[in-house]
Amino acid sequence: MTLRIWKERFGLVKMERIKSLYLKYRHGIPLALYMIVYLTWFAWLEDRNKRNYEVIHVGLDDYIPFCEVFIVPYLLWFGYVAAVVVFLFFKNKQDYYHSCAFLFTGMTLFLIISTLWPNGHHLRLAEMPRDNIFTQAVSALWKIDTPTNIWPSIHVYNSMGAHFAVMRSAELKGKKGIRIASGILAFSIILSTVFLKQHSCFDVATGLGLGAVMYMLVYRRDAVFAARAERKMKKRMSM
């Protein structure tokens, strides 16, 4: 009898813990589901669009030299964006939701554009000008990443989104070093997209434009609404 009661109590405690964890972290479910959809859709595009696509090229592309050391910030992008999202996930739900809204919107537009208008470039070098650890890393990247589905640049857009999230984070408001480092890294990643011949300047420009528009919609809109609400409140109090 005692054993049965202990098992029942233990089961209830276990269920309560599971319920508590679910309620605490359920805001991560949309992120997990979206990443499954995004990665599946992107993998399909990479296979479909590598054969037939519209070539993107602007004159400025021909004046930008290849610089293999930019592979470092280019690869850091994966950890950078993930680290920012994970940090916000645990520290501030509201900032997390803003960040996800920014990232998901741009990434979805990118998928739709790549589906309706397959695109790519012919900027990659026929052979590496040097042999070193950086050129070897670039060669490895080019083997697994096709020069298609490039407009607008998600490396550019998501770098902007990650940096905006850092700058708007309440928890990082007084962390000047982190905010400066984030800006330098984001800028380096954006430069890396053209110096590694991963993107055309057109992809970068449109990525920057889209990021600027989404910043106004996701972040500035709340600030405008808050300012209006504050003015209305002061007006009522003065009457």
Side-chain angles (χ1 to χ4, degrees), residues 204-221:
V204 174
T206 50
L208 290 171
L210 179 60
V213 171
M214 286 307 301
Y215 176 79
M216 298 299 294
L217 294 176
V218 174
Y219 292 106
R220 294 301 299 169
R221 185 184 63 173

Side-chain angles (χ1 to χ4, degrees), residues 26-88:
R26 61 183 174 181
H27 55 291
I29 295 176
L31 172 62
L33 294 176
Y34 181 79
M35 289 311 301
I36 292 173
V37 172
Y38 178 84
L39 292 174
T40 302
W41 193 345
F42 182 76
W44 173 72
L45 287 172
E46 282 285 277
D47 181 64
R48 188 199 72 163
N49 294 350
K50 66 184 179 183
R51 289 175 288 274
N52 298 300
Y53 54 84
E54 193 73 25
V55 177
I56 293 178
H57 180 271
V58 294
L60 185 58
D61 295 331
D62 301 327
Y63 294 94
I64 297 176
F66 172 77
C67 187
E68 66 269 23
V69 294
F70 276 97
I71 189 65
V72 176
Y74 189 87
L75 294 179
L76 285 176
W77 172 82
F78 296 94
Y80 173 51
V81 176
V84 170
V85 173
V86 170
F87 174 81
L88 297 178

Side-chain angles (χ1 to χ4, degrees), residues 12 22 41 46 72 103 105 117-118 132-134 138 153 157 161 196 204 208 226 232:
L12 289 174
Y22 168 76
W41 193 345
E46 282 285 277
V72 176
L103 297 175
T105 302
W117 191 62
N132 55 50
I133 188 172
F134 301 115
V138 175
S153 171
Y157 180 83
L196 293 180
V204 174
L208 290 171
K232 288 182 180 180

Side-chain angles (χ1 to χ4, degrees), residues 138-150:
V138 175
S139 294
L141 172 67
W142 286 357
K143 287 180 181 178
I144 61 176
D145 183 26
T146 68
T148 58
N149 309 312
I150 58 174

